């Protein structure tokens, strides 16, 4: 079999479409093929970048002139045990595939992202978090064991008991220490396909953070949206959404609500407009003026008729809000979008986020979508979580202001470093490497580099992101 198909050159981009590069795409279907590709790449001295569904916003899953090892064809659920909720998956199984298979048996992935498209391999490599990071930790906390294939062709099973140091570095190690070829994950028991949610409006950033903190022990899911446009006393005004799973006696027909087809998001708006055309209708509003108006309208709706509303929603509807409008990212074409997510300890969060929102206002580059979450520390070596809050910001990329935007990301990041915060590589495209490296404590990166030296001494596994953040 030819495993280094030089004829398959493809342009590979980050999800935000703002950064990308040409690479050689290979799509193995089993571990044997992956091993063969690794061996061939090693002897050819060709670097490899692993790729799941390509949902990382920036440069995590491509490498200029690299061999892009795309796991999307390794997507079998290998073992599913509805009695225990333990599942073994190939790395290309997506969050969507997983919940659709397990929900009818009453099991839900304990950590899901705002879209259901990521793979489990990519999710573990970035150690993704959900709206319940405070309550449940990141995806890695629910991983029982992994099969890891290293460039020398060794396939090892790792866990909290077997090679724990490697296990805690591979999860969140953005594909730099080996390739995840199987994962065993413990799912969470649920008794209904509905959750109960509550929406609350908050007038400013301080109140928004306080309410998130107050709610974090009472609700499974807590997420804040904020309007990044206004300043002064309205800076950081927003809406909070809390949600909890239902207990066994609260859903009269759990078999129906757990049925995946009853979870499906509607394919039309108001039963008429196909959602596939919605992004085109949104495009004329994707500019500062339009987004200011949309953010204002959302806040007015949420702070009047929507305030304090308690409602039931499907698990998929609540969890995967960002899948509601298919292809919505295309509103950002031709430049695409970048994303910046900082994690800041509780004591400094309000000050740092306030400064970041002011920087965006001063530079005239407001975030079009801003989201707050509460986090807790976790035991993974390159963890991005702290006992604190994160603020995630989307920015449109306009060609004429691209350099200014990249410079602004540096300015946004500086107060985070000073406050002892962290950054989320999965969503990053523009962070200067020295600022990323400055967030780690004594010896942390040295331990990672030592593992890299042991598991991948020839540096076969790379990515544009790893070169930018870990190199130098
Ligand atoms: C709309 C949207 C919403 C999102 N919401 C959230 C959110 O709520 N929380 C959150 O934490 N993240 C969120 N993300 C980010 C996303 O979940 C992560 O970027 C995730 O890693 C993407 O998974 P993927 O399968 O697409 O991996 P890719 O983006 O393709 O790859 C991610 C990384 O994993 C590595 N990798 C992939 N497969 C393997 C493997 N088998 N072995 C070793 N390394 C591998 C790649 O080299 C790369 O470094 C969101 C993304 C989008 C687009």
């Amino acid at each position: 079999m030819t495993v280094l198909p030089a004829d398959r050159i493809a342009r590979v981009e980050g999800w935000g479409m703002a950064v990308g590069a040409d690479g050689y795409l290979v799509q193995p279907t089993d571990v044997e093929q992956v091993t063969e590709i690794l061996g061939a790449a090693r002897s050819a001295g060709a670097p490899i970048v692993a790729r799941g569904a390509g949902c990382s916003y920036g440069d995590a899953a491509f490498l200029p002139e690299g061999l892009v090892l795309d796991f999307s064809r390794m997507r079998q659920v290998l073992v599913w045990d509805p009695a225990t909720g333990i599942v073994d998956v190939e790395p290309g199984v997506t969050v969507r595939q997983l919940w659709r298979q397990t929900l009818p048996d009453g099991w839900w992935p304990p950590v899901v992202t705002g879209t259901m498209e990521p793979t489990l391999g990519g999710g573990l490599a970035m150690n993704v978090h959900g709206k319940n990071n405070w309550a449940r930790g990141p995806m890695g906390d629910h991983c029982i064991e992994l099969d890891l294939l290293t460039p020398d062709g060794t396939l090892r099973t790792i866990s909290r008991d077997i090679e724990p140091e490697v296990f805690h570095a591979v999860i969140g190690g953005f594909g730099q220490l080996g390739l995840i070829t199987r994962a065993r994950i413990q799912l969470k028991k649920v008794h209904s396909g509905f959750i109960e949610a509550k929406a609350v409006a908050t007038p400013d950033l301080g109140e928004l953070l306080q309410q998130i903190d107050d709610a974090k022990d009472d609700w499974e899911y807590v997420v804040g949206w904020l309007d990044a446009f206004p300043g002064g006393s309205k800076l950081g005004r927003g809406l909070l959404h809390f949600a909890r799973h239902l207990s066994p006696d609260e859903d009269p027909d759990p078999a129906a609500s757990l049925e995946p087809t009853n979870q499906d998001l509607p394919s039309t708006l108001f039963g008429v407009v196909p959602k596939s055309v919605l992004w085109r209708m949104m495009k004329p509003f994707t500019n500062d003026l339009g987004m200011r108006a949309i953010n204002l309208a959302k806040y007015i709706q949420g702070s009047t008729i929507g305030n304090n509303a308690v409602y039931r929603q499907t698990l998929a509807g609540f969890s995967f809000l960002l899948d509601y409008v298919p292809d919505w990212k295309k509103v950002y074409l031709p430049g695409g979008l970048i994303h910046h997510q900082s994690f800041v300890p509780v004591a400094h969060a309000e000050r740092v986020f306030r400064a970041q929102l002011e920087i965006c206002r001063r530079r005239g580059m407001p975030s079009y979508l801003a989201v707050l979450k509460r986090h807790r520390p976790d035991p993974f070596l390159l963890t991005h979580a702290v006992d604190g809050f994160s603020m995630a910001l989307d920015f449109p990329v306009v060609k004429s202001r691209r350099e200014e935007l990249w410079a602004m990301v540096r300015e946004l990041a500086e107060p985070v470093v000073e406050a002892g915060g962290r950054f989320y590589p999965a969503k990053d495209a523009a962070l200067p490497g020295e600022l990323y490296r400055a967030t780690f404590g004594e010896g942390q990166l040295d331990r990672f580099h030592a593992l890299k030296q042991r598991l991948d001494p020839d540096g076969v596994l790379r990515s544009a992101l790893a070169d930018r953040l870990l190199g130098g």
Side-chain angles (χ1 to χ4, degrees):
M1 187 188 79
T2 308
V3 289
L4 287 175
D7 55 330
R8 295 196 58 201
I9 298 176
R11 166 91 183 160
V12 185
E13 289 186 331
W15 188 86
M17 306 167 300
V19 288
D22 287 343
Y24 304 94
L25 193 68
V26 275
Q27 296 178 307
T29 53
D30 56 35
V31 180
E32 287 67 39
Q33 286 187 8
V34 180
T35 312
E36 207 175 325
I37 291 164
L38 273 177
R42 248 180 108 207
S43 27
I48 286 186
V49 57
R51 187 169 173 94
C55 287
S56 294
Y57 278 67
D59 51 0
F62 67 80
L63 177 71
E65 295 297 307
L67 196 66
V68 182
L69 190 59
D70 176 333
F71 280 101
S72 55
R73 290 194 186 155
M74 285 178 65
R75 49 179 308 164
Q76 282 191 59
V77 174
L78 300 167
V79 183
W80 165 233
D81 182 354
T84 59
I86 293 175
V87 66
D88 274 26
V89 293
E90 287 190 323
V93 168
T94 61
V95 173
R96 174 201 293 271
Q97 240 185 301
L98 185 61
W99 74 258
R100 292 190 79 90
Q101 168 144 2
T102 62
L103 191 61
D105 297 318
W107 298 92
W108 179 255
V111 172
V112 296
T113 47
T115 166
M116 57 178 112
E117 303 309 335
T119 64
L120 277 303
L124 287 166
M126 285 304 185
N127 207 10
V128 299
H129 56 268
K131 300 175 181 73
N132 56 355
N133 190 248
W134 174 261
R136 303 279 161 216
M139 186 182 269
D141 273 356
H142 308 276
C143 177
I144 298 169
E145 64 178 36
L146 292 174
D147 282 351
L148 185 76
L149 184 65
T150 44
D152 65 358
T154 308
L155 186 64
R156 38 160 55 88
T157 299
I158 53 172
S159 68
R160 283 173 190 77
D161 301 317
I162 311 166
E163 299 199 74
E165 195 190 4
V166 178
F167 181 78
H168 286 101
V170 165
I171 293 178
F174 36 105
Q176 295 307 292
L177 300 180
L179 300 169
I180 298 167
T181 55
R182 178 189 62 93
R184 175 169 295 170
I185 295 169
Q186 173 68 64
L187 303 191
K188 177 185 159 54
K189 187 77 193 153
V190 291
H191 305 285
S192 169
F194 290 113
I195 45 106
E196 183 175 274
K198 184 175 176 185
V200 176
T202 50
D204 59 39
L205 182 64
E207 180 72 20
L208 188 53
L209 293 170
Q210 188 59 54
Q211 289 227 26
I212 290 178
D213 211 41
D214 292 346
K216 70 182 188 308
D217 296 318
D218 297 332
W219 296 82
E220 167 92 14
Y221 303 98
V222 183
V223 63
W225 161 85
L226 66 84
D227 177 358
F229 282 85
S233 63
K234 294 180 185 142
L235 186 124
R237 69 180 173 193
L239 306 174
L240 276 175
H241 289 94
F242 315 122
R244 64 171 183 86
H245 291 281
L246 300 188
S247 48
D249 52 350
E250 287 182 287
D251 183 348
D253 191 358
S257 68
L258 293 169
E259 177 54 43
T261 48
N262 291 330
Q263 293 281 325
D264 284 339
L265 306 171
S267 58
T268 55
L269 187 68
F270 310 125
V272 187
V273 185
K275 284 208 308 194
S276 55
V277 305
L278 264 188
W279 73 266
R280 291 179 202 278
M281 294 163 70
M282 289 160 57
K283 180 106 178 111
F285 300 97
T286 312
N287 49 55
D288 287 1
L289 209 62
M291 294 310 290
R292 178 185 283 273
I294 288 173
N295 276 269
L296 175 66
K298 183 173 160 77
Y299 181 72
I300 290 174
Q301 194 278 341
S303 58
T304 51
I305 49 172
N307 200 12
N308 289 314
V310 177
Y311 53 96
R312 281 194 182 181
Q313 197 175 2
T314 61
L315 267 168
F318 178 80
S319 305
F320 307 119
L321 193 66
L322 291 169
D323 291 335
Y324 196 81
V325 177
D327 288 334
W328 62 265
K329 67 175 181 173
K330 289 187 183 166
V331 301
Y332 287 101
L333 285 173
L337 76 155
I338 63 166
H339 191 100
H340 176 80
Q341 186 173 9
S342 325
F343 292 68
V344 181
V346 176
H348 306 289
E350 184 177 347
R351 176 178 57 79
V352 171
F353 295 156
R354 191 172 282 278
Q356 290 184 323
L357 293 170
E358 291 292 9
I359 289 167
C360 299
R361 284 170 47 76
R362 175 168 49 75
R363 284 185 173 259
M365 287 188 277
S367 167
Y368 285 4
L369 177 66
V371 174
L372 287 173
K373 289 180 190 150
R374 184 72 167 88
H375 302 274
R376 70 178 196 201
D378 59 55
F380 299 95
L381 185 57
L382 295 189
T383 179
H384 51 272
V386 295
D387 181 358
F389 298 88
S390 72
M391 184 163 76
L393 304 169
D394 280 4
F395 298 104
V397 179
V398 178
K399 199 174 167 202
S400 60
R401 301 191 73 188
R402 195 178 161 105
E403 270 180 37
E404 253 184 280
L405 181 58
W406 259 243
M408 184 171 85
V409 170
R410 171 184 281 277
E411 200 182 343
L412 295 177
E414 280 164 350
V416 178
V417 177
E418 279 163 27
R422 292 275 166 98
F423 303 105
Y424 189 28
K427 294 200 175 172
D428 179 56
L431 185 67
E434 74 271 16
L435 293 184
Y436 175 75
R437 294 191 289 277
T439 60
F440 289 101
E442 192 73 12
Q444 229 168 331
L445 283 178
D446 293 342
R447 279 163 62 202
F448 190 80
H449 287 306
L451 284 169
K452 175 82 177 165
Q453 190 55 36
R454 173 151 76 87
L455 300 169
D456 180 21
D458 302 324
V460 173
L461 298 172
R462 285 174 49 198
S463 68
L465 176 104
D467 285 1
R468 179 166 57 86
L469 297 186
L470 295 175

